Amino acid sequence: MSEDEGGLDGPLPEDFLAEYEEHQAGIERALLELERAGAIGEADVAVLLRRLHTLKGLSGMVGLGEAAALAHAMESALRGLRHGGRAPAKGVLDALIEAGRALALALSDRRHGAAPRDFSALIRLLSADGETAAREVPDAPLPSTAEGSIALTAAQRREIKKSARAGMDVLRATFGPSVALSARGVTVSSVRARLEARGKILSAAPVVEPGGSVRFEFVVVCPRGAVVPGDWAPDGVRVETYDVTLPEAGSDGEPLLSPSNTIRVGMDKLDDLMGIVGELVVKRARLSELTGGLSRWVPRHELRALDEASLQLERQVHMLREAVTHVRLVPIGGAFARMPFATRAVAREEGKSIRVELSGQETELDKFVVDRMTEPLLHLVRNAAAHGIERPEGRRAAGKPAEGRISLRAAAQADRVVVEVEDDGAGIDAEAVRRRGAALGLLPPGHEGPLDEDRLLEILCAPGLSTRAGADLGSGRGVGMTAVRDAVRDLGGRLSLRTTPGAGSVFTIEIPVTMLIIQALLVQDAGRTYAVPSTSVEEVMEASVAGAATIGGSPVLAYRGGTLAVASLGQTLGAARTRGRHVLVARGGGLGFAVERVLGQKEIVVSPLTDPWVRSPGVSGATRLPDGTILLILDLKTLARTNA
Amino acid sequence: MVRASLSSLERVELEEATTGLEAIERISLSPVDLVVLDMNMPDMHGLEVIRFLRAQEAYKRIPILVLTTRDDEASRRDAMAAGADLYMSKPFDPKALAGRAGELLESGGLP
């Protein structure tokens, strides 16, 4: 593995650990079941192969090369079972099961910082065909019997612990048969019967000694003192205390896998939790109002304790809200992780040299959003690699370094997260896009004149027609752009493009951060009240719009050394035009909105408006006030843009 | 009845074991040339016996003839997959059993 894939030696993310362990456990279970039953059904083998495939991918992503190779060898070895059927020959099956365990060891090694083990012998075994594999495997005794530690089920171990706690003896009785003993009538059956008369036999199994002779081990639970070693020795039975702390069979000193410190929680549970917290915020606000009203009848000093308690409650609720919101946030790095590998594949195919730079991976977004960002980002990055970045010769001819660069950046802004995919390639081929636009009927035939970037993007993202003979629909970025646009739109976000021929392109995705509870400014204009997220307001200016200078019919004000166009909020939203004195300056500039009254700041619970019929540019949600009124939450930036 | 059937074979000495563990004990104490094995045994299932024998260098080539009441395809598959050489179900034809057993003894196990 080369060093240019950043982060491969870093600590493994918890998400990854949980998933790896889940798959490894499933693989091990399936293989053991395969051994037990001697055969496997088609559906089960499909699941097993899928798990191996996924694990292979996961391992590759974080540089667990040895695990990936092992998983690959296991897949190949199982390929013959694709449609279900009998278990492979014993040698191969043993190797598979050992390999399943080895997958866990590989992870364990990595987590404890140990050097990766060499699994090449195991991989060779898996690659050999059944016959040779059976011959190569040294005759290992059944697992767990070689060292004399008996493999017990979890239920058996529990019973042992329970008995030990109850003061009973837990013993290991080992019987070595011999011809002489047998002549005396002492056989494994007679020994067993004798033990059964004294206590309860939890387990009885044959064990092969290193020399090849067979003995039998019994794990027995009996009342203290019921089995005296001296009584049994003459019959070839060795009695010792069964050490309940012995490591489980199969482990020869390997570090026990420490479970990852995460649990998987269904998103629906988190949604419920969020809903409850939201209600709590609203109720607390109501309580605050009611207590405020008390001051009319109760002297101030009497109310002090109540006030303090109320304040503390507010702080606690605030902390709770933060904590719950935090639970749903995951770093966008998860979506970024696959990019370097996807790029490498494309680069190799096309004979290009490409470097991927990531930044802002720690930027956190709701998990829902991150999950849905992965595909669009993958499309954009692949397109940049396949169509944006030129071949090394072309780049050198253009005076660029032979290695192309694709940058993936994420940054959090006031109320949104901005993700950019930038390449230093050839830029969008406007001519090809023009042809596509014409072919799709989006441009009048013979259209001339420059296409602005919004238009370019629109044509790029327009769903293509099925093959149309003779028409060149290839602008080079076709595949997947429609999906990207739709995915971004579904997240309530926005996709934009900046491109410079010969220098490269930047695709920008803006996603509003779904914060359920926000601070908002309540304003009133033209008889209606609206909520505006406080973070989206740069400042509130007092200004008289009446009598202000106008440019193109719109009043403008002097603002910070420049001018600010001002619109009536009421009018912008389709109500009557007013002459408010309070101007909300949208953060990000562009426009100021005049309102008649500013009612103050309030903490509100955001209810997203997800119904596409109700969605409207400039309206990012709705909220219900404690007294029951429902307000629309405005997105000033969008309003500013669509009305500039 | 098994004994009766098998004793018809020439130059054959029979050893009997009533449980799986006993079978292993007997096999370990004196070499055998053929194992006729029931599957449903109380202390150790026939499958485990087969697997145990097949896992040991010393016993892995001993022919194993499974004779059992279970006649379903899955059980047969299990037994053969574990390493049995022949699978016969009860009730059985004594002559057939003797015949197959004789074959196994002569060939020393199926190829």
Side-chain angles (χ1 to χ4, degrees), chain A residues 30 59 164 201 231 257 334 393 486 532 582:
Chain A
S59 308
I201 296 183
D231 293 343
L257 295 178
E393 318 84 62
D486 290 345
V532 178
H582 310 279

Side-chain angles (χ1 to χ4, degrees), chain A residues 274 277-282 317-318 321-322 325 514-519 603-606:
Chain A
M274 267 306 225
V277 172
E279 288 294 303
L280 193 57
V281 166
V282 172
V317 169
H318 186 92
R321 178 248 285 181
E322 293 277 297
T325 311
T514 322
M515 296 263 300
L516 193 63
I517 299 164
I518 60 171
Q519 282 284 344
E603 202 172 56
I604 58 169
V605 175
V606 176

Side-chain angles (χ1 to χ4, degrees), chain A residues 312-342:
Chain A
Q312 277 167 2
L313 184 60
E314 181 179 349
R315 261 199 303 275
Q316 298 281 55
V317 169
H318 186 92
M319 281 167 53
L320 178 62
R321 178 248 285 181
E322 293 277 297
V324 173
T325 311
H326 200 71
V327 167
R328 291 176 60 111
L329 296 180
V330 295
I332 199 174
F336 282 7
R338 289 156 62 174
M339 306 303 153
F341 296 87

Side-chain angles (χ1 to χ4, degrees), chain A residues 80-118:
Chain A
L81 271 184
R82 232 178 11 257
H83 302 294
R86 239 192 303 151
K90 180 154 180 47
V92 177
L93 187 53
D94 282 343
L96 278 168
I97 291 177
E98 203 188 328
R101 187 99 278 272
L103 288 174
L105 294 180
L107 181 65
S108 191
D109 283 338
R110 170 66 182 270
R111 287 168 77 185
H112 292 112
R117 294 176 203 219
D118 181 17

Side-chain angles (χ1 to χ4, degrees), chain A residues 35-39 86 90 139-140 142 175 177-179 182 186-189 192 204 206 208 214 216, chain B residues 18-19 21-22 24-26 28-29 43-44 47-48 51-52 54-57 59-60 77-78 80-81:
Chain A
E35 188 188 39
R36 187 204 69 79
R86 239 192 303 151
K90 180 154 180 47
D139 268 303
L142 286 174
F175 170 61
S178 73
V179 175
S182 178
V186 179
T187 65
V188 65
S189 298
R192 188 195 178 115
V208 175
V214 173
F216 297 91
Chain B
T18 47
T19 75
L21 290 179
E22 232 181 79
I24 292 178
E25 184 187 33
R26 291 298 176 82
S28 74
L29 289 180
D43 59 351
M44 195 174 171
L47 265 186
E48 288 173 358
R51 290 199 186 120
F52 179 82
R54 287 298 177 244
Q56 316 308 327
E57 182 64 45
Y59 313 125
K60 71 189 219 182
R77 251 207 326 261
D78 287 349
M80 299 304 279

Side-chain angles (χ1 to χ4, degrees), chain B residues 32-109:
Chain B
V32 302
D33 302 299
L34 171 66
V35 175
V36 178
L37 182 66
D38 200 326
M39 291 299 255
N40 301 319
M41 291 178 293
D43 59 351
M44 195 174 171
H45 193 267
L47 265 186
E48 288 173 358
V49 174
I50 297 175
R51 290 199 186 120
F52 179 82
L53 293 176
R54 287 298 177 244
Q56 316 308 327
E57 182 64 45
Y59 313 125
K60 71 189 219 182
R61 276 171 279 276
I62 303 178
I64 298 178
L65 193 160
V66 169
L67 186 62
T68 178
T69 48
R70 299 195 65 119
D71 191 21
D72 56 288
E73 184 54 35
S75 300
R76 173 189 294 264
R77 251 207 326 261
D78 287 349
M80 299 304 279
D85 293 283
L86 274 183
Y87 189 99
M88 291 180 69
S89 54
K90 299 182 199 175
F92 63 93
D93 170 11
K95 278 216 271 292
L97 175 63
R100 310 309 297 275
E103 278 167 25
L104 284 175
L105 282 171
E106 264 172 56
S107 65

